[in-house]
Every structure is written in structure tokens, then in C-alpha cells.
Amino acid sequence: MELMTISEISRGFNISTRTLRYYEQIGLLTSGKKENYAYRVYDENAVRRLQQIIILRKLRIPLKQIGVILKDKEQTHIVEIFQENILTLDCEITALSTIRSVLQRFVLQLNNRIGVNVKLNLFDDNELLKVIESLSLSKIDFKEERSMDDLNKANEILTNLKDIRILYLPPATVASSHYIGENPEDVARKRLDDFVNSVNLQRIKPDLRVYGFNNPSPRNSGETYGYEFWATIPDDMEVPESIVKKHFEGGLYAAHCINMGDFHEWQPFFKCILDNDNYEIDCREPIGMEGSLEEHINAFTYYQSFNEKSKCEQLDLLIPIKPKTKVE
């Protein structure tokens, strides 16, 4: 079997390149590099392992348990894990069956009142209320990449708005590294890193900030896309040909901090802003993600310890906002 690139894997298995990178980050999957070839490649063992991961995810096995299963050569814990998930499914099946019965009873009551000018309060049925109260509030989503516990926790935090900050990003001159094609984050990041280290930017500008965003942003899984990185620089700094000098207008943003890899939190974060009474999304430049950005926290420390293989562990998700116009 020939080595497969990350884009070929993404298209072949209908899985995003970002998800593949996350699987690598948490140790579920490994890739390699061919000589004189800059992109990730996957051998037969990696492809077979990914097939196993996808099968287990379709069976709704959480990622942490998949890690245990794949490391369990003696298969001593697999039965235990499967039995645990069977119990969870049994509970969900019972809950879904109960919900179906309650909804059918509601429909029956409503149908019996069609054409009759009588107000029916469905929530006065004490017998049904007792049944409904016994149900869990947890939601079922068969398409999610993360476990329900992770998603419910993220949703609870985000809808509470306690960890969403409103901040102002100042205007800045930025050095832009942009690449469209295979592994755009890796290629664009390497160009930016090379530039920053060549000029020792963290020394010249210790308050430097690093932003990133899809440009263009993929609409479908496996679609070729681009990524653009910005590093703030002094206004009078010259940049090499591989880097483009731009001006960032700045402005008002809603910010939410995540651990690297938790990009599933973009969706509930957007929903929080859409549902907010005081602010609304203000789409603006850069157009890649309609003005939204990912800021890599503490860029100075990252570049200061770059030779020690330092990694960015946290990001701020940034959504451009403006105050809502009050309608009298």
C-alpha cells in the first residue's frame, strides 16, 4: 500500500484534517514524513488504526475509551468498556421510548380537541409530569465527534456566558503568512515561525500577538482550504517576500478560551453570541472566517522557548461583535 497524504485520508474517510490532527495530538493516531516531502503521510498501519477509530466512534465509544481499547493488546478491558456502553444505551433507549409514548399521548389529546373551542393545557397532566420529571436533560446527538459529557459540559459553560469576555483588540501592523493547499496550518505556521525567529521578533516586540484563521474556510469535510497566520510587528519593520505586510483594524470582540484541539466549541460559542441580548456578530475583515480569529495565547513564551519544542496549548476564539441597536 502506498503512503496516503492527510488530504487523501480526509477525503477518503470523510473526516476533517483538523480532527485527524486532534487524534494525533491525543495519541490515538500517528503520521510520518517522507524524505523531501513537507506533508503528513499515513502508512497501512495508520490507515487500519483510523478505520478502527471510526468504527468505534460510530458505535458511540468515547475517545478516551477508544484509547484504552487500542492499547489493550490482551483485550482484558474491552468487554468491560462495551458492557458499560451497552448499559448507557439501554438507559437512552428506555428514555427515548418514554419520550415517544409521552409525545404520542400529547398528540392524541390534541387531536381529540381539534375543532373544539376548549383550551387544553398539556402541562396540567400530573401523571405525565411525573414521567417527564424522571427523564434526564442530557441531549442525544449521533453526529458529534466528542463524548456527550464533554459537549454537555461545554454547552453549560458557554450558555452561562461566565467565561466569555468582551475585549477590544487594538489596530496593528501584522506580518501575514498565508497558504492554500495541503496542510495549510503547518505550511503557513512554519513560514511565520521562520520569519519571527529570523528577526528575533519576540525581543523586538515582547507584546507580539499571533492570530490565525481559515482563508478560505472549508464548507465540506475533506475540502481543500487555506489558513492564514498573523504576527503583530512594528509599523516600520520590513518583511521578506514569503510574508505579506498588512494592517489589522482591530475592534470589539467576544473571546472564549479553549485548550488546543477543542475546536468543537466554536459552534456553541457562536450560538451564545447569536442569542445574546446586548451584542450581535459584526462580520468584517479578514473575510476568511467572516472576521472571526483564533489567537494563540502567550506568543512571547512560545517563541522564547521555541528551541525547546514549546507548544501552544491554549487559544482564544474571537468573534467580532457590535452593540445591538435598541428598538424603541
Side-chain angles (χ1 to χ4, degrees):
M1 172 183 172
E2 292 185 2
L3 296 174
M4 297 181 68
T5 67
I6 190 170
S7 293
E8 290 171 337
I9 290 287
S10 176
R11 289 191 296 268
F13 288 91
N14 194 29
I15 186 171
S16 70
T17 56
R18 181 165 281 185
T19 298
L20 287 170
R21 291 187 182 91
Y22 182 68
Y23 286 171
E24 288 194 45
Q25 182 183 352
I26 62 176
L28 283 183
L29 193 65
T30 57
S31 64
K33 291 283 184 72
K34 287 197 299 186
E35 188 177 354
N36 300 322
Y37 191 72
Y39 305 132
R40 285 180 170 89
V41 291
Y42 298 84
D43 61 17
E44 185 175 357
N45 289 333
V47 171
R48 187 180 301 110
R49 189 177 180 91
L50 179 59
Q51 289 173 327
Q52 294 169 346
I53 293 170
I54 291 173
I55 289 171
L56 291 170
R57 288 301 293 135
K58 286 182 177 180
L59 294 174
R60 300 184 63 194
I61 307 298
L63 292 176
K64 287 184 179 179
Q65 291 185 340
I66 290 176
V68 173
I69 290 171
L70 295 179
K71 291 177 182 177
D72 187 9
K73 298 186 183 301
E74 302 298 325
Q75 300 188 357
T76 54
H77 299 294
I78 296 179
V79 172
E80 180 182 338
I81 289 172
F82 285 171
Q83 286 178 333
E84 180 182 334
N85 281 273
I86 288 170
L87 289 175
T88 300
L89 288 170
D90 285 342
C91 292
E92 290 181 3
I93 290 169
T94 300
L96 288 172
S97 178
T98 303
I99 292 168
R100 185 175 185 274
S101 298
V102 170
L103 291 175
Q104 285 178 329
R105 183 161 172 176
F106 279 164
V107 169
L108 180 61
Q109 292 182 26
L110 290 168
N111 283 335
N112 289 337
R113 298 301 192 278
I114 291 177
V116 180
N117 191 19
V118 177
K119 184 176 181 180
L120 174 66
N121 192 336
L122 298 173
F123 307 106
D124 283 344
D125 190 327
N126 291 327
E127 182 182 345
L128 280 183
L129 287 179
K130 288 180 180 178
V131 174
I132 295 171
E133 285 173 0
S134 68
L135 297 171
S136 169
L137 281 175
S138 37
K139 301 174 182 178
I140 299 174
D141 187 344
F142 294 94
K143 295 182 179 179
E144 281 297 343
E145 292 291 334
R146 308 301 290 282
S147 72
M148 286 308 305
D149 286 343
D150 290 342
L151 288 172
N152 288 335
K153 182 179 179 182
N155 187 58
E156 179 182 349
I157 292 172
L158 291 173
T159 52
N160 212 358
L161 293 180
K162 287 184 178 179
D163 70 335
I164 295 180
R165 300 112 58 210
I166 305 299
L167 53 81
Y168 176 77
L169 298 183
T173 301
V174 299
S176 166
S177 173
H178 183 206
Y179 183 77
I180 299 175
E182 200 167 2
N183 293 334
E185 293 102 329
D186 294 347
V187 177
R189 187 62 191 247
K190 185 178 186 308
R191 288 179 181 172
L192 186 75
D193 289 347
D194 289 345
F195 163 70
V196 170
N197 289 316
S198 68
V199 299
N200 207 6
L201 184 60
Q202 72 273 15
R203 293 292 187 183
I204 299 171
K205 189 173 176 60
D207 64 339
L208 87 155
R209 304 177 77 154
V210 173
Y211 304 107
F213 54 96
N214 292 340
N215 186 18
S217 187
R219 301 300 178 188
N220 300 304
S221 178
E223 184 176 288
T224 299
Y225 67 105
Y227 200 85
E228 186 167 349
F229 275 106
W230 287 352
T232 57
I233 60 174
D235 295 340
D236 59 353
M237 175 172 278
E238 298 295 326
V239 299
E241 291 184 1
S242 60
I243 301 294
V244 177
K245 192 172 179 178
K246 295 185 177 182
H247 180 72
F248 173 46
E249 293 292 341
L252 201 63
Y253 287 80
H256 169 60
C257 188
I258 65 167
N259 291 323
M260 178 64 77
D262 289 345
F263 298 108
H264 62 283
E265 294 192 19
W266 263 119
Q267 185 174 357
F269 182 29
F270 267 113
K271 185 178 185 305
C272 281
I273 304 305
L274 289 171
D275 294 341
N276 192 271
D277 293 332
N278 299 312
Y279 294 95
E280 61 185 350
I281 296 175
D282 181 24
C283 296
R284 62 174 82 126
E285 295 283 352
I287 61 172
M289 297 194 317
E290 299 172 326
S292 295
L293 302 168
E294 297 169 345
E295 180 174 8
H296 295 242
I297 302 299
N298 204 351
F300 174 86
T301 301
Y302 170 80
Y303 284 111
Q304 185 68 13
S305 55
F306 187 76
N307 291 332
E308 299 172 13
K309 306 294 184 182
S310 175
K311 291 183 179 179
C312 171
E313 300 294 345
Q314 287 186 305
L315 297 172
D316 257 352
L317 307 184
L318 300 167
I319 298 176
I321 58 173
K322 61 182 178 181
K324 279 187 175 178
T325 302
K326 300 295 183 180
V327 179
E328 300 296 336

